[in-house]
Every structure is written in structure tokens, then in C-alpha cells.
Amino acid sequence: MLRTAARALVPGIGVPWARWSWSGAGVQVHVVDLRSDTVTRPGPAMRRAMAEAVVGDDDYGEDPTVRELQEKAVELLGVERTLFVPTNTMLERAITQGVGNPYHPICELVCLENTHSSSGGRVLPIDYLQQVHHLAHTHGARVHLDGARLMNAAVALRVPPARLVQYCDSVSFCFSKGLGAPVGALVGGSKDFIEEAWRLRKALGGGMRQAGVLAAAALVGLAEAEEVLLRDHQNAQRFATGFQELASPMCSVDAATVETNMVLVHVDGLSPAELCRRLQAVSAEEVAQTGHAVRVLLFPWTERSVRVVWHRDISPRDTELALRKWEFVLRQSGL
């Protein structure tokens, strides 16, 4: 709710970043979009792969590029089957409270998210996943893994993605976040589970035709994943370390909690929405003091925090410019 309201409160949120790339007094404004890893644009290799993709009717199972993607994902995730879809849009106490009590619902499914977005991109450890799996199966429940940023977790732990999926009955896997594809996701699980998922995809209008154009982008994203995501993580850690060095009494970062491509900045001196407005504003004074005109695009995450997200379109230089912009804003705000 807060994040939805913030988009309305903060100028520029929800609009293309290029709208803000204007020049004033002869100085070009540099835009650093750290709102989410969904704002990426397909690079030359991805666009070329999309243009040259061999396609067929995926609703009939005849698209060879989709089949290639699904087969690669089976190997990557260690599941029996996968299904390419347009999108994929708690613990012991919750499971056991319904047992023997007709007034409480019986838990049949435990859902996990890895990485955990609301915690700032934290990674769920393998032993935790194993414990949840054992607990759920003990009480007759299944485990589903929301793996929107599963590759981030695998890169952070330096393990194959299948290692993180082995304790789950089903998994969803997104290509349009850290992997940079324009659209698309996978659902993985047993043969019977995927056959039912295919039926539901069709029933809900999610059947696709020449989907190989989208699958080709996903394949490029997969091929580049380890290198790109590792760089994103390093940029996020560099920002967190640099932010700590600012030693602001009103804005703080716990660098020890930065495990992947996200940083949560805790804000006490003013509202997160106001801070985001100031980070987007550009003034002659900023240019005079820093030699740069920088807009940092963000939106509030909670009532007292701002989430900063790295992705393939953010370079080490962008990271440094964002840090210097934050330093300028805090200094001007007396924070």
C-alpha cells in the first residue's frame, strides 16, 4: 500500500527514465535508476537473439526456442518438467494450528521467497530450506519456492540453482528481473504438476503463440547471469560500504545484511518520500559543488526505509555517482 502511494507522491516514479534525461545550463543530467531490477532494457545480444529466434506455436508445443529454454531450465533447476509462462504473479505455528480444530484452516502449502525481497534481498540458507521442507512434509503440506531472484541467491551462495530447489515441490523462476529479459517466467515441478499448470495456463488465457521471441531473450539472460549478477552484488556492496562511511546520523545502512543486489536504507531524519524527491532534484548548486548533475530514481519501501536495487544497466560509475548524490542531499538537508 505504501509503495503504491509513494509512486503517486514522488515525481517521476512509474515514468520512463529517459523523460528525466535533460540538460540545464549546458550540463547533461545523468540518471541512475535504482527503483527495481525490472527497469532494464534488452541489450544488443538479447535484441539480436529475439530478432533471429526460430519460432512456432507454443500453444501446440511447437516452438523450438521455448522447448530449448524449458529443457535448459530442467537441468538448471533439477526438476522433472518446466513450463514457460508470461508471468508469475509463515511457519510451524501456522501449519499446526489447524490440526484437530474445525475452526482453523488446514495448511496445505508453504510458500518461500528466495531471495527475500522485503528483507532487502537476503538469501535463505540451504539448511533453512531443508528444515522447512521437513516440517511441511511432516504435516502433509507441500513447499513452493518463489524464485523470482533465484539466480541471485545461487550466485551469492556459489551453488547451482538446483541445490536451492531440491527441498521444494515446485518453483517459479523469473526472467524479467535480474536476468534482464523484457517478459517471461517459468514454473517447474513434477510431470503431473506441470501438466496441470499447462491446463491452467490455457484456461487463464496465458497460452502463447510464437513465444520463441521471448524465450530467446530469456536464454541470453541465463547465459549472462552469473557474470552480470555478481557485478550487481559487488556494486550494491560498494554502495553499502560507502554509505556507512558517510556516517549520517539520520540515514543508515547495515552493510553486513547486503547479500545480493539490494540495499535497504533506514531513514529517520525525514520521510522516505521527501528523501526520494530530493534525490531526483537537480540544482545549480549541486553542479557547482560536485561537478555533476545526477538524478537518482527511487521510491519509498516502508514508512522508514528506501530500497535501492542494482541491475545490469547500473555500472560502477553509476554506483559512485549515486553515492555522491546521496552525500550531497544529506549534507544539504543537514542530515
Side-chain angles (χ1 to χ4, degrees):
M1 180 68 73
L2 176 66
R3 293 191 287 277
T4 300
R7 289 182 172 88
L9 288 171
V10 182
I13 288 177
V15 299
W17 71 270
R19 172 177 174 179
W20 299 102
S21 186
W22 54 269
S23 59
V27 178
Q28 184 71 27
V29 175
H30 189 89
V31 179
V32 183
D33 193 340
L34 296 170
R35 291 172 296 173
S36 174
D37 47 9
T38 62
V39 300
T40 57
R41 292 151 293 162
M46 190 173 286
R47 291 180 184 273
R48 185 165 55 251
M50 295 172 73
E52 298 174 356
V54 180
V55 299
D57 193 325
D58 181 51
D59 210 33
Y60 295 147
E62 296 175 355
D63 193 300
T65 308
V66 171
R67 287 202 302 268
E68 179 185 355
L69 175 63
Q70 292 175 163
E71 289 166 3
K72 282 186 180 295
V74 164
E75 297 176 10
L76 184 74
L77 302 176
V79 295
E80 192 174 1
R81 288 270 186 94
T82 63
L83 178 68
F84 187 51
V85 295
T87 184
N88 282 325
T89 306
M90 318 184 31
L91 280 149
E92 182 170 10
R93 180 180 171 190
I95 293 177
T96 59
Q97 73 176 34
V99 178
N101 190 325
Y103 298 102
H104 291 154
I106 296 175
C107 178
E108 295 184 348
L109 181 68
V110 176
C111 295
L112 301 173
E113 182 187 33
N114 203 9
T115 64
H116 197 274
S117 177
S118 294
S119 298
R122 301 296 298 271
V123 179
L124 301 185
I126 294 174
D127 60 347
Y128 175 81
L129 296 172
Q130 185 177 17
Q131 292 170 22
V132 172
H133 177 265
H134 174 73
L135 176 66
H137 281 227
T138 297
H139 295 283
R142 292 174 294 172
V143 178
H144 174 75
L145 179 62
D146 177 350
R149 296 179 176 91
L150 179 64
M151 287 299 295
N152 291 88
V155 168
L157 292 178
R158 300 183 183 276
V159 299
R163 186 85 169 85
L164 304 177
V165 177
Q166 65 178 322
Y167 297 114
C168 304
D169 299 287
S170 59
V171 60
S172 58
F173 184 72
C174 185
F175 296 111
S176 61
K177 292 187 170 67
L179 301 188
V183 67
L186 277 171
V187 177
S190 68
K191 176 178 178 292
D192 291 343
F193 175 82
I194 293 302
E195 286 180 352
E196 176 64 7
W198 188 94
R199 186 190 69 80
L200 290 172
R201 186 186 73 168
K202 180 71 173 178
L204 295 173
M208 297 183 285
R209 301 301 179 184
Q210 287 68 42
V213 174
L214 301 177
L219 284 167
V220 173
L222 275 179
E224 301 174 345
E226 187 170 355
E227 177 185 354
V228 170
L229 296 181
L230 182 60
R231 187 185 67 219
D232 292 345
H233 296 180
Q234 291 170 341
N235 285 336
Q237 289 159 2
R238 167 68 189 109
F239 177 86
T241 301
F243 202 97
Q244 279 191 327
E245 293 171 356
L246 298 180
S248 169
M250 299 298 182
C251 291
S252 62
V253 165
D254 184 356
T257 66
V258 178
E259 298 174 348
T260 57
N261 65 322
M262 298 182 187
V263 176
L264 285 182
V265 179
H266 300 280
V267 184
D268 292 321
L270 71 170
S271 72
E274 176 60 25
L275 175 62
C276 291
R277 277 194 286 266
R278 296 184 188 188
L279 287 167
Q280 289 188 37
V282 173
S283 67
E285 187 176 5
E286 175 190 348
V287 177
Q289 290 190 22
T290 69
H292 299 286
V294 178
R295 287 189 188 275
V296 177
L297 303 187
L298 291 168
F299 56 77
W301 189 243
T302 69
E303 293 180 355
R304 286 299 171 193
S305 70
V306 172
R307 190 187 71 166
V308 194
V309 186
W310 273 260
H311 49 81
R312 62 178 54 220
D313 289 348
I314 301 298
S315 67
R317 179 174 180 268
D318 293 326
T319 302
E320 189 63 27
L321 286 174
L323 189 58
R324 298 284 72 84
K325 175 60 178 249
W326 213 300
E327 180 182 24
F328 172 80
V329 167
L330 292 176
R331 186 170 63 246
Q332 291 298 107
S333 304
L335 303 178

